[in-house]
Amino acid sequence: MSSKNKILVFGGLGQLGQCIAEVCRDRGISSVLFLDEFEGNILNPAILEKLFQEQSPDFVINCAAYTAVDKAEDEPGLSEKINKDGAANLARCCDQFKATLIHISTDFVFEGNIPKLLKEEDPAEPINVYGKTKLAGELEIMSLLKEHYILRTSWLYSEFAANFVKTMLKLGSEREELSVITDQIGTPTYGIDLASAILDIITSDHKTYGTYHYSNEGVTSWYDFAKAIFDLSETTVKLYPIPGSAYPTKAIRPAFSVMDKTKIKQTFGIAIPYWRDSLIRCINAIKKKQ
């Protein structure tokens, strides 16, 4: 990457932001500014304009989002403000100051009711508020800014922040038995792998803008994901599979949201690890931090 490339990361203290920071350290990339929700308030155009003027970024990574899926059902207005209006504010600033935007989106933009690999051009028909507001943000970016990459991901976890892997490890150490949903199918994504892919796009000579899918390779259920977490961490807990109907939530989840990653692999030459291999790396990283 050229030393002149300056990167701004919004939502920089969240899970993916911390993963990006880790990969930047590993790669010796220092021209990156990680912004929290106050100094990088995506709902405040005046703050954004001042930031862009001062920093003159070449790339902007938007990890800032309203991600509380069930809570979004009760706070649709706030979810839309952050996921749609915030994304639009960043797109306008990127257009004004000639920066490229990398925006993180979700598999939840799909209905996920058909067991087939989801391609970028497949109809996006979200079934919950979170998915609807994330799709609205995508559409705003597409209409406002040509120089953008939208990366849809799924089931994000890492050694940082709160996520399914860390929750399972905690519950597994506290309880003798657990029940986990077995009829929601998707693919976990290790945040370090996604962060690496983002930086690969930034360092690439290709400027093939548009929407891309990124998760780890393979297919699993939440039950099988949990089983792998316990097996690999040598956690002894009785695990029972249950249908989603036995664990009702406010927001409906896609039943099958496995995304096709052919486009990002072919365009940028990115090698994507198998989900279980990445889970091993994550559990080892968690152990090192303990």
Side-chain angles (χ1 to χ4, degrees):
M1 183 175 71
S2 167
S3 58
K4 75 178 178 61
N5 276 336
K6 179 69 181 283
I7 307 169
L8 295 186
V9 182
F10 289 83
L13 303 189
Q15 177 175 208
L16 183 55
Q18 291 181 73
C19 291
I20 294 168
E22 183 84 1
V23 177
C24 283
R25 280 191 290 271
D26 288 346
R27 295 193 185 188
I29 298 170
S30 58
S31 54
V32 191
L33 184 61
F34 294 88
L35 301 155
D36 64 23
E37 61 185 293
F38 302 106
E39 58 196 0
N41 186 347
I42 61 174
L43 300 182
N44 190 320
I47 284 178
L48 292 181
E49 191 163 333
K50 188 167 183 286
L51 254 175
F52 275 71
Q53 280 176 339
E54 290 172 353
Q55 299 297 331
S56 299
D58 299 287
F59 289 89
V60 171
I61 304 171
N62 183 29
C63 306
Y66 186 111
T67 57
V69 178
D70 290 315
K71 205 174 171 189
E73 299 294 316
D74 295 324
E75 297 182 329
L78 182 59
S79 182
E80 183 174 63
K81 255 187 167 179
I82 296 169
N83 292 341
K84 178 191 171 193
D85 300 345
N89 290 338
L90 280 177
R92 287 189 192 95
C93 277
C94 285
D95 185 52
Q96 183 181 345
F97 292 92
K98 306 294 180 243
T100 299
L101 176 62
I102 300 176
H103 176 75
I104 310 305
S105 193
T106 173
D107 59 322
F108 276 35
V109 300
F110 294 108
E111 185 176 7
N113 63 342
I114 303 169
K116 67 178 277 290
L117 290 180
L118 293 161
K119 296 181 180 293
E120 287 82 356
E121 64 272 16
D122 284 341
E125 296 171 334
I127 53 177
N128 57 43
V129 169
Y130 169 66
K132 287 172 184 172
T133 58
K134 288 297 288 183
L135 177 60
E138 289 187 10
L139 295 172
E140 287 287 317
I141 290 166
M142 290 177 202
S143 69
L144 291 165
L145 179 69
K146 181 195 168 193
E147 295 81 6
H148 74 263
Y149 301 98
I150 292 167
L151 297 190
R152 293 174 180 151
T153 193
S154 61
W155 299 23
L156 192 67
Y157 72 92
S158 70
E159 57 268 36
F160 304 106
N163 57 69
F164 184 77
V165 171
K166 290 173 76 177
T167 298
M168 286 298 106
L169 289 172
K170 182 174 185 294
L171 292 176
S173 69
E174 295 170 350
R175 300 184 189 177
E176 291 184 359
E177 56 184 49
L178 285 169
S179 298
V180 178
I181 291 169
T182 193
D183 57 356
Q184 285 174 16
I185 309 299
T187 310
T189 307
Y190 183 27
I192 294 292
D193 293 338
L194 176 57
S196 295
I198 291 167
L199 291 168
D200 286 345
I201 289 171
I202 288 174
T203 57
S204 169
D205 293 329
H206 294 281
K207 288 188 166 51
T208 314
Y209 303 119
T211 302
Y212 292 86
H213 289 168
Y214 186 95
S215 67
N216 283 120
E217 296 285 27
V219 178
T220 193
S221 68
W222 286 112
Y223 168 81
D224 289 303
F225 189 20
K227 182 77 168 63
I229 293 164
F230 295 136
D231 287 349
L232 294 170
S233 63
E234 299 179 332
T235 302
T236 307
V237 60
K238 285 180 183 171
L239 192 62
Y240 299 101
I242 58 169
S245 58
Y247 187 76
T249 54
K250 279 205 168 180
I252 305 168
R253 265 76 169 169
F256 189 96
S257 59
V258 182
M259 297 185 294
D260 188 316
K261 279 87 67 174
T262 303
K263 184 179 173 185
I264 197 168
K265 288 187 285 189
Q266 289 184 346
T267 304
F268 298 103
I270 290 172
I272 302 179
Y274 176 56
W275 72 266
R276 195 177 167 103
D277 295 336
S278 291
L279 178 59
I280 292 169
R281 288 163 48 222
C282 179
I283 286 174
N284 288 336
I286 289 170
K287 283 178 181 173
K288 280 183 187 172
K289 289 167 73 77
Q290 287 173 342

